[in-house]
């Protein structure tokens, strides 16, 4: 997601596969086993949590997580927790990868040793400090040097146990010094404004004897100022350490003045080396990408170049097709291409053109659309985006039932448990397959119109190319069954049908169902030959009936008939996103309490609602056309993080999401669904209206026009720049940088190349180390500076 940076937007995303943990220390009790789960954190903010694996010291998770990162961060961290029913869950260990080191592990399965979780090392945030040396004349007329240390403010301090009441302790360090002075405690904020000055005597009058004062030891170059940040606590365990910085006074050697931002660092324990216990290890696969883009106007020529691809003849000469063909991973190009063409209503012409080109290259009708081509990847991505609600209404109820019932369905005699009966298991599995097959084949009227249009084009292209009458069915079934329904049944968590990967027993049941459904939908002439296992071929005899083939053909006929349900697709509410968040009461009554409550939120293409709990009637409904803007809410409004506002004609609804990623997701999808509203605002208030005035601009009227321009949703095509610049290594910034990229000889691309190169040179020349954007201690920025000084060939 985008992070603003002087007219430039930095898009960060991370894709993580959480595999398994091994050799977790046993629980100190008779049972020994643990119930473990893993969390993903940006610094210390949790953004994802796996399922709980019970009674295991080697838990297997097998979960994927993808997010667009909406803010800067220093560490991508993973914590293993042991669930405790009666007390707070205890942390077992962590893996913390520094941002600058992420490229070392890019796309690789890596085992990380779990490290202990310690308050001394769990730091985040930054502090602004100003140092000044000044001469002071004492009452005796003697001149001595004093240090003025001004602690101005901090940003991004961690919230500990739901609160942050920070203060700073300032000490002058030297061989004979240990003076400590403290700021006032700032309550309920992790961005405190201190602005307090402390004075320290650096040199003493010469009247001191050497026995009491060693001039050499008091040399300024050998002294340092330490600023410790603490969270004031009422607990018996005392205040909690938040981080420290040490500033050597030799930074004052030239001007006597030093003003800079510093990243907080872990506590300095000197040279102590402790023997660490073996906490086990965690297998991860991390893919981190960071792309820098200009404002959207700069990419209009590139957008137009791509959109022309749908109607260029031959399509193989178009920019979009070339981009997809030269990418080593087709998915890297398919995702932004599909979003671009969907956004501009050009997806069907584009897919029709590249599908026709692929059909013309296919020699055997039995292999049509079976490879991982650009066409198949683009259609896969379109079905995921356009068909998510279709999957929800079709498969989710039965998938939920299968996951809840845990009926035994194993039909492999070798894997059968002693307590299970083979015939009973076969019957359980047969009933599940029959029910899923029925809901799929009767769901044709619910298939999204855009998918129907695509399937109609595929069917027509295949029928013209081959004489085989069944090819018009197999061209469509290879997508709707093989690449849509079957994968969703196999891995429901990847299609938002379940929150987590199913347990091993349920996963096995879904695998058997998916295999059978895939074969039923394939319409192949020798279906038993599709199964390598004899027990599956035997099981398939239950479905060796013409009625199943007829049902599949009727279903395929229905969904490959173009343009029949346009009106239906507009009228039917489509669920886009839902989940628990905390909202502030809107104060409909003049004297009503405006407190915060947890509610279940639900967004469709028609309305945004919230409910007391999932499944209950809506307490409030906001029509989409009434949403005038969706913007972040400044943290200082309610001293709460991750808040945003849904602005309506008469009021704003203030909502707190669970983390920064979830807040960004809600803002994005609410903005996109309401961006065509005619009355959308151009300005808004970034802070709340409290105590009779807006906190941001201090205006007293609650209907006063906004004081800040509204942000605009980032167009999908901004993701293209890194692909055009070096598509073969688009997501591996460090691993494959030696592979040269291709060049599309178009003025739009060449102009962007020149603009990016010029921006890189300007940024390198103007950037100040120690500024608020690049605090001292920012090793990621230091790596950037080193790269720029070594080479000017990389694009930022």
């Amino acid at each position: 997601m985008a992070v603003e940076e002087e007219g430039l937007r930095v898009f960060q995303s991370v894709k993580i596969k959480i595999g398994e943990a091994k050799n977790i220390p046993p629980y100190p009790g008779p049972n020994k086993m643990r119930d473990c789960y893993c969390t993903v954190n940006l610094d210390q903010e949790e953004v994802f949590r796996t399922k709980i694996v019970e009674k295991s010291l080697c838990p297997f998770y097998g979960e994927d997580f993808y997010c667009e990162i909406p803010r800067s961060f220093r560490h991508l961290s993973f914590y293993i927790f042991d669930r405790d029913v009666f007390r707070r869950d205890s942390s077992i260990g962590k893996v913390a990868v520094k941002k600058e080191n992420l490229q070392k592990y890019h796309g690789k399965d890596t085992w990380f040793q779990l490290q202990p979780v310690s308050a001394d090392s769990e730091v985040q945030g930054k502090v602004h400090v100003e140092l000044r040396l000044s001469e002071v004349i004492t009452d005796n007329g003697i001149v001595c040097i004093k240090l003025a240390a001004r602690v101005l403010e901090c940003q991004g301090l961690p919230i500990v146990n739901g609160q942050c009441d920070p203060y700073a302790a300032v000490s002058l360090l030297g061989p004979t010094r240990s003076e400590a002075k403290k700021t006032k405690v700032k309550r309920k904020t992790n961005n405190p404004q201190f602005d307090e000055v402390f004075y320290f005597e650096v040199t003493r009058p010469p009247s001191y004897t050497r026995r009491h004062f060693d001039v050499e030891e008091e040399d300024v170059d050998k002294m340092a100022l330490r600023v410790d940040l603490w969270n004031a606590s009422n607990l018996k365990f005392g205040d909690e350490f938040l981080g420290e910085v040490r500033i050597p006074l030799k930074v004052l050697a030239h001007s006597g003045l030093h003003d800079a931002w510093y990243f907080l660092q872990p506590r300095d324990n000197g040279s102590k080396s402790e023997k660490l216990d073996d906490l086990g290890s965690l297998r991860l696969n991390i893919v981190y990408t960071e792309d820098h883009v200009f404002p959207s106007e700069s990419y209009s020529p590139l957008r137009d170049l791509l959109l022309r691809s749908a109607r260029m003849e031959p399509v193989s000469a178009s920019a979009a097709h070339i981009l997809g063909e030269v990418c080593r991973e087709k998915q890297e190009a398919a995702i932004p291409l599909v979003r671009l063409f969907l956004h501009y209503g050009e997806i069907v012409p584009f897919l029709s053109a590249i599908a026709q080109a692929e059909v013309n290259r296919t020699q055997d009708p039995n292999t049509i659309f079976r490879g991982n081509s650009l066409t198949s990847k683009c259609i896969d991505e379109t079905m995921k985006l356009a068909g998510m609600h279709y999957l929800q209404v079709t498969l989710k109820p039965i998938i939920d039932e299968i996951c809840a019932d845990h009926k035994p369905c194993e039909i492999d005699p070798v894997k059968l448990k002693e307590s299970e009966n083979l015939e009973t298991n076969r019957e359980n599995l047969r009933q599940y397959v029959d029910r899923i097959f029925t809901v799929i084949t009767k769901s044709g009227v619910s298939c999204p119109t855009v998918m129907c249009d695509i399937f109609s084009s595929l069917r027509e292209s295949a029928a013209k190319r081959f004489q085989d009458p069944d090819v018009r069915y197999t061209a469509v079934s290879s997508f709707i069954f093989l690449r849509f329904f079957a994968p969703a049944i196999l891995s429901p968590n990847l299609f938002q049908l379940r929150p987590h990967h199913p347990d091993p027993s349920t996963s096995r049941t879904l695998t058997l169902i998916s295999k059978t459904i895939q074969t039923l939908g394939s319409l192949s002439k020798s279906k038993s030959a599709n199964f390598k296992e004899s027990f599956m071929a035997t099981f398939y005899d239950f479905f060796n009936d013409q009625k199943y083939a007829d049902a599949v053909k009727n279903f395929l006929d229905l969904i490959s008939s173009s343009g029949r349900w346009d009106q239906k697709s507009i009228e039917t509410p489509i669920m886009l996103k839902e989940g628990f968040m905390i909202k502030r009461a809107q104060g409909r009554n003049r004297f009503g309490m405006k407190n915060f409550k947890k509610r279940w939120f639900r967004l469709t293409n028609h309305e945004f609602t919230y409910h007391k709990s999932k499944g209950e009637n809506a307490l409030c409904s906001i029509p989409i056309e009434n949403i005038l803007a969706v913007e972040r809410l400044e943290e200082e409004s309610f001293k709460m993080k991750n808040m945003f506002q849904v602005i309506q004609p008469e009021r704003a609804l203030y909502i707190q999401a669970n983390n920064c990623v979830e807040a960004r997701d809600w803002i994005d999808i609410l903005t996109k669904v309401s961006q065509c509203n005619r009355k959308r605002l151009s300005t808004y208030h970034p802070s709340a209206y409290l105590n009779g005035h807006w906190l941001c601009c201090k205006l007293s009227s609650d209907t006063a026009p906004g004081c800040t321009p509204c942000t605009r949703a980032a167009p999908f095509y901004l993701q293209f720049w890194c692909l055009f610049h070096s598509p073969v290594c688009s997501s591996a910034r460090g691993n494959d940088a030696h592979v040269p990229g291709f060049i599309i000889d178009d003025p739009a691309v060449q102009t962007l190349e020149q603009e990016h190169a010029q921006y890189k040179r300007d940024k390198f020349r103007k950037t100040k180390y120690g500024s608020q954007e690049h605090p001292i201690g920012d090793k990621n920025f230091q790596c950037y500076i080193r790269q720029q000084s070594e080479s000017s060939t990389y694009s930022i």
Side-chain angles (χ1 to χ4, degrees):
M1 192 45 61
V3 178
E4 296 293 337
E5 187 179 292
E6 299 180 7
L8 177 106
R9 305 184 86 184
V10 183
F11 286 80
Q12 306 173 102
S13 66
V14 65
K15 182 166 60 176
I16 302 164
K17 291 182 181 294
I18 304 173
E20 59 189 310
K22 280 189 176 181
N23 304 322
I24 299 292
Y27 186 78
N31 185 24
K32 305 294 184 184
M33 294 292 105
R34 295 182 183 267
D35 300 338
C36 296
Y37 61 90
C38 179
T39 67
V40 180
N41 296 55
L42 293 173
D43 295 321
Q44 293 185 52
E45 183 179 12
E46 180 182 322
V47 295
F48 177 73
R49 179 178 296 197
T50 69
K51 64 185 176 183
I52 297 172
V53 178
E54 298 181 341
K55 299 177 181 178
S56 175
L57 298 180
C58 295
F60 176 80
Y61 298 106
E63 298 205 29
D64 296 339
F65 171 65
Y66 171 82
C67 77
E68 294 176 330
I69 302 174
R71 62 171 178 82
S72 58
F73 68 100
R74 294 169 66 184
H75 292 87
L76 180 65
S77 304
F78 305 83
Y79 291 78
I80 299 291
F81 285 91
D82 184 13
R83 180 184 59 176
D84 194 316
V85 178
F86 303 105
R87 294 176 296 177
R88 179 181 295 173
D89 297 348
S90 58
S91 57
I92 297 172
K94 69 170 184 178
V95 172
V97 184
K98 293 180 180 180
K99 181 180 178 181
E100 61 266 23
N101 292 335
L102 284 172
Q103 68 174 10
K104 296 179 182 178
Y105 311 106
H106 181 89
K108 304 174 184 175
D109 274 357
T110 306
W111 283 97
F112 292 90
Q113 197 71 25
L114 290 173
Q115 303 297 319
V117 177
S118 167
D120 290 348
S121 64
E122 304 293 299
V123 302
Q124 66 182 63
K126 52 191 175 183
V127 60
H128 186 190
V129 179
E130 179 187 288
L131 304 183
R132 185 188 300 270
L133 284 177
S134 57
E135 295 182 348
V136 178
I137 301 177
T138 66
D139 294 338
N140 299 328
I142 299 172
V143 177
C144 66
I145 304 299
K146 286 201 172 183
L147 170 70
R150 183 184 180 193
V151 182
L152 290 96
E153 60 181 311
C154 293
Q155 287 187 356
L157 297 179
I159 294 177
V160 183
N161 298 328
Q163 60 101 39
C164 189
D165 298 330
Y167 69 89
V170 185
S171 306
L172 182 62
L173 302 179
T176 62
R177 298 300 182 96
S178 183
E179 304 175 47
K181 301 176 182 182
K182 298 179 181 179
T183 67
K184 295 177 181 178
V185 176
K186 300 295 181 179
R187 300 289 178 183
K188 297 182 180 180
T189 178
N190 65 339
N191 297 315
Q193 301 280 334
F194 296 114
D195 200 8
E196 294 190 39
V197 182
F198 303 100
Y199 292 94
F200 299 90
E201 191 173 291
V202 176
T203 61
R204 301 181 190 248
S207 58
Y208 277 75
T209 66
R210 186 174 179 81
R211 184 166 55 86
H212 295 96
F213 176 68
D214 190 330
V215 176
E216 184 178 348
E217 288 181 347
E218 293 294 333
D219 189 343
V220 171
D221 286 349
K222 296 184 178 180
M223 302 174 71
L225 187 84
R226 186 177 73 195
V227 181
D228 294 322
L229 270 297
W230 295 85
N231 182 36
S233 174
N234 295 321
L235 301 175
K236 63 180 180 180
F237 300 108
D239 297 347
E240 291 129 332
F241 175 76
L242 300 181
E244 72 172 26
V245 295
R246 295 187 179 221
I247 308 172
L249 294 197
K250 60 185 179 182
V251 299
L252 297 165
H254 299 295
S255 64
L257 175 66
H258 178 70
D259 183 355
W261 283 83
Y262 284 82
F263 266 143
L264 292 175
Q265 302 297 334
R267 194 196 302 266
D268 185 1
N269 290 320
S271 58
K272 294 180 181 179
S273 58
E274 300 179 3
K275 184 178 180 181
L276 302 178
D277 296 332
D278 186 1
L279 302 176
S281 54
L282 179 65
R283 180 165 61 89
L284 302 167
N285 189 306
I286 305 171
V287 175
Y288 170 75
T289 61
E290 180 178 306
D291 301 321
H292 297 63
V293 295
F294 291 119
S296 57
E297 309 84 58
S298 302
Y299 297 88
S300 295
L302 175 59
R303 175 201 62 199
D304 296 339
L305 172 66
L306 291 165
L307 289 175
R308 288 200 299 270
S309 300
R311 292 172 177 81
M312 181 172 287
E313 293 185 4
V315 71
S316 57
S318 68
H321 189 271
I322 293 172
L323 176 65
E325 289 302 313
V326 300
C327 276
R328 181 165 49 212
E329 296 292 337
K330 306 297 183 192
Q331 191 78 1
E332 295 284 344
I335 292 175
L337 279 172
V338 165
R339 293 185 178 187
L340 171 68
F341 286 106
L342 270 174
H343 185 70
Y344 287 96
E346 295 287 334
I347 190 66
V348 175
F350 173 66
L351 291 181
S352 297
I354 61 175
Q356 181 67 62
E358 181 168 336
V359 169
N360 291 340
R361 295 194 301 267
T362 304
Q363 301 301 318
D364 185 353
N366 294 318
T367 63
I368 192 169
F369 299 129
R370 291 302 175 96
N372 288 322
S373 63
L374 177 66
T375 303
S376 61
K377 290 297 184 183
C378 284
I379 296 178
D380 287 352
E381 185 63 22
T382 304
M383 291 191 298
K384 280 185 180 180
L385 292 173
M388 199 58 71
H389 178 69
Y390 180 34
L391 281 178
Q392 294 274 335
V393 298
T394 306
L395 291 183
K396 186 169 174 54
I398 181 65
I399 295 292
D400 286 343
E401 182 182 328
I402 292 170
C403 293
D405 288 351
H406 296 289
K407 288 184 179 179
C409 295
E410 182 55 71
I411 60 173
D412 184 354
V414 177
K415 297 181 180 180
L416 205 66
K417 296 179 181 178
E418 292 183 4
S419 59
E420 295 177 351
N421 180 277
L422 182 59
E423 292 305 317
T424 301
N425 289 9
R426 278 179 180 162
E427 180 59 20
N428 291 339
L429 185 61
R430 187 196 65 78
Q431 289 181 10
Y432 281 147
V433 171
D434 218 22
R435 288 175 59 190
I436 287 183
F437 178 82
T438 300
V439 298
I440 289 175
T441 53
K442 291 186 179 298
S443 69
V445 72
S446 301
C447 186
T449 302
V450 66
M451 289 174 60
C452 294
D453 291 341
I454 292 168
F455 295 149
S456 175
S457 175
L458 298 179
R459 177 184 176 127
E460 182 180 351
S461 297
K464 287 181 178 178
R465 176 75 170 86
F466 300 104
Q467 299 300 316
D468 187 342
D470 285 338
V471 75
R472 67 183 189 273
Y473 294 115
T474 56
V476 177
S477 67
S478 62
F479 285 105
I480 195 68
F481 281 101
L482 183 66
R483 295 175 174 270
F484 188 63
F485 284 121
I489 296 168
L490 182 65
S491 302
N493 56 305
L494 299 183
F495 291 81
Q496 300 179 21
L497 298 177
R498 296 289 297 175
H500 299 295
H501 189 74
D503 61 81
S505 177
T506 305
S507 183
R508 173 64 175 168
T509 298
L510 295 176
T511 300
L512 296 173
I513 296 171
S514 179
K515 282 185 175 183
T516 312
I517 291 296
Q518 181 177 317
T519 305
L520 280 168
S522 67
L523 292 173
S524 59
K525 296 180 175 59
S526 178
K527 299 196 174 180
S528 297
N530 288 350
F531 298 108
K532 297 178 181 178
E533 309 96 337
S534 59
F535 63 86
M536 283 300 298
T538 302
F539 174 72
Y540 193 80
D541 288 340
F542 285 121
F543 306 96
N544 198 8
D545 191 300
Q546 186 60 34
K547 69 176 183 180
Y548 291 101
D550 292 342
V552 170
K553 288 184 176 181
N554 290 335
F555 169 69
L556 296 175
D557 281 335
L558 191 59
I559 65 172
S560 57
S561 299
S562 177
R564 293 176 55 188
W565 305 296
D566 287 346
Q567 190 61 36
K568 176 244 9 167
S569 66
I570 295 172
E571 294 174 353
T572 303
I574 298 176
M575 200 281 291
L576 301 173
K577 188 173 178 64
E578 57 183 348
F580 277 112
M581 292 188 289
I582 295 173
K583 66 97 186 175
R584 182 176 185 259
Q586 298 185 77
R588 290 186 177 79
N589 299 325
R590 183 175 179 83
F591 299 104
M593 291 185 64
K594 298 182 180 180
N595 55 346
F596 289 87
K597 292 184 178 179
K598 189 176 183 179
R599 292 289 182 256
W600 180 263
F601 285 82
R602 191 170 187 270
L603 174 66
T604 71
N605 56 330
H606 288 181
E607 60 183 356
F608 182 49
T609 60
Y610 61 79
H611 316 246
K612 191 169 185 179
S613 60
K614 185 177 182 179
E616 294 192 12
N617 293 330
L619 298 174
C620 175
S621 173
I622 303 173
I624 295 299
E625 57 266 24
N626 284 359
I627 297 178
L628 306 183
V630 184
E631 298 286 349
R632 287 193 177 277
L633 187 69
E634 288 185 353
E635 197 171 302
E636 293 303 309
S637 296
F638 300 104
K639 308 296 183 184
M640 296 167 65
K641 294 174 69 70
N642 304 319
M643 290 202 70
F644 64 95
Q645 51 184 319
V646 180
I647 304 172
Q648 308 163 67
E650 297 180 357
R651 61 176 65 90
L653 175 60
Y654 299 135
I655 302 171
Q656 183 188 36
N658 294 317
N659 56 62
C660 64
V661 171
E662 185 181 89
R664 184 71 262 175
D665 286 347
W666 276 105
I667 293 171
D668 276 354
I669 195 167
L670 281 164
T671 299
K672 287 169 185 173
V673 80
S674 63
Q675 63 185 354
C676 295
N677 290 350
R678 288 176 296 177
K679 296 182 180 180
R680 276 190 65 86
L681 298 177
S682 57
T683 59
Y684 78 105
H685 293 283
S687 292
Y689 183 81
L690 296 173
N691 302 322
H693 68 274
W694 293 100
L695 298 182
C696 43
C697 58
K698 308 305 179 184
L699 294 177
S700 58
S701 172
D702 60 352
T703 59
C707 57
T708 303
C710 287
T711 57
R712 291 186 295 170
F716 298 126
Y717 53 81
L718 294 188
Q719 302 172 53
F720 277 104
W721 172 243
C722 68
L723 287 174
F724 264 87
H725 184 253
S726 186
V728 286
C729 54
S730 59
S731 63
R733 294 293 178 266
N735 294 344
D736 294 329
H738 63 280
V739 181
F742 77 103
I743 296 175
I744 292 182
D745 188 16
D746 186 275
V749 179
Q750 293 176 1
T751 300
L752 279 175
E753 172 75 31
Q754 294 167 3
E755 290 179 0
H756 274 258
Q758 183 60 48
Y759 177 86
K760 177 184 63 177
R761 290 190 292 269
D762 292 345
K763 178 181 174 66
F764 180 64
R765 186 171 59 250
K766 296 177 182 178
T767 300
K768 179 185 176 184
Y769 189 47
S771 64
Q772 185 174 357
E773 295 77 18
H774 302 290
I776 294 173
D778 183 355
K779 293 184 179 179
N780 193 59
F781 176 71
Q782 289 177 312
C783 290
Y784 164 77
I785 293 293
R786 186 171 60 253
Q787 290 172 359
Q788 300 312 309
S789 62
E790 291 174 355
S791 172
S792 61
T793 58
Y794 295 161
S795 168
I796 56 168

